[in-house]
Amino acid sequence: MVRIAPSLLAADFARLGEEVRAVAEAGADWLHLDIMDGHFVPNISFGPGLVRALRRHASIPFDVHLMIAPVDPYLEAFAAAGANLISLHPEAGPHLHRSLQTIKALGCQAGVVLNPATPIAALDHVLELCDLILVMSVNPGFGGQSFLTSQLDKIATLRRRIDASGRAIALQVDGGVTVATAPRCIAAGADVLVAGTAVFGQPDYQAAIAALRRVG
Ligand code: DX5
Ligand code: ZN
């Protein structure tokens, strides 16, 4: 079963509460929240205050993708704001293992995000702490970019590695996911698709989510 996590980055920022309710009612499995600091990535989005304010608008899991450095000082604030899952980039702090331990200790699920140029080996000694692995299929920072097909092999390799581990680790893909690229992601082994433009940029959220979920 493929889960769809619409990325709020492509929503109408002047009506965010309404947008969150609409996408949850349209069948979104998770809500993907992109946190950008204008330093780790060249864009600024929003912080824990907004995550907290949106929390009462939907009960689906909040999947918080942190693109901030240093990341450690903010983990507690996002957990307190209502994140269910917190993902971070290995490059965003000095001690990835410790950061993952912190997320788990805060009662959240933990994810590691691999940029297009980040090798799978970054996960070598932390897999036992991962509930999710996120493969970036664009360079992080902006919505609406084109899918990097070079990441499909990475997804397929990770699928084999997760299956061999016997652990229930979600394999998520983020960036340029559309009805055209989603089937390739699913075929490679992804089981959670993040989609900004392909959901919030469409007139009918329910139809958009259903179209992405369908294995092509
Ligand atoms: C990019 C973000 C993505 C982004 C995806 O840095 O991590 O979640 O919102 O947007 P689309 O689906 O439009 O590529
Ligand atoms: Zn994201």
Side-chain angles (χ1 to χ4, degrees):
M1 177 64 175
V2 174
R3 282 168 289 190
I4 307 298
S7 163
L8 198 65
L9 200 63
D12 180 349
F13 273 28
R15 300 186 298 112
L16 284 178
E18 216 179 297
E19 291 276 67
V20 168
R21 286 198 302 278
V23 86
E25 281 164 21
D29 297 285
W30 299 354
L31 183 72
H32 186 81
L33 297 128
D34 289 300
I35 312 299
M36 304 176 174
D37 66 354
H39 164 79
F40 184 71
V41 291
N43 193 8
I44 298 176
S45 59
F46 48 83
L50 186 75
V51 176
R52 178 189 291 276
L54 293 175
R55 187 61 282 190
R56 65 188 169 82
H57 289 275
S59 57
I60 56 173
F62 274 18
D63 162 32
V64 174
H65 173 192
L66 296 179
M67 287 162 273
I68 59 177
V71 68
D72 292 326
Y74 299 97
L75 296 176
E76 195 174 344
F78 284 101
N84 299 89
L85 204 144
I86 298 178
S87 304
L88 49 76
H89 292 248
E91 299 88 352
H95 303 290
L96 176 61
H97 190 282
R98 178 180 288 149
S99 302
L100 293 169
Q101 283 181 317
T102 302
I103 293 170
K104 310 279 273 187
L106 288 165
C108 296
Q109 293 198 303
V112 174
V113 192
L114 301 179
N115 275 332
T118 303
I120 290 174
L123 296 165
D124 271 356
H125 307 287
V126 294
L127 209 60
E128 73 279 4
L129 286 168
C130 291
D131 299 292
L132 173 139
I133 298 167
L134 167 50
V135 174
M136 289 306 301
S137 40
V138 298
N139 283 295
F142 301 96
Q145 302 182 77
S146 298
F147 185 86
L148 297 171
T149 52
S150 57
Q151 301 306 302
L152 288 166
D153 276 353
K154 191 188 274 181
I155 295 170
T157 303
L158 282 165
R159 168 48 55 207
R160 288 192 291 274
R161 203 149 150 192
I162 290 169
D163 290 348
S165 80
R167 298 196 53 244
I169 301 171
L171 182 53
Q172 188 178 47
V173 57
D174 182 8
V177 174
T178 64
V179 285
T181 56
R184 300 182 74 182
C185 297
I186 295 167
D191 53 17
V192 188
L193 306 181
V194 175
T197 314
V199 174
F200 284 107
Q202 307 304 312
D204 181 340
Y205 296 169
Q206 193 169 349
I209 290 168
L212 289 170
R213 215 192 289 281
R214 212 170 292 134
V215 185

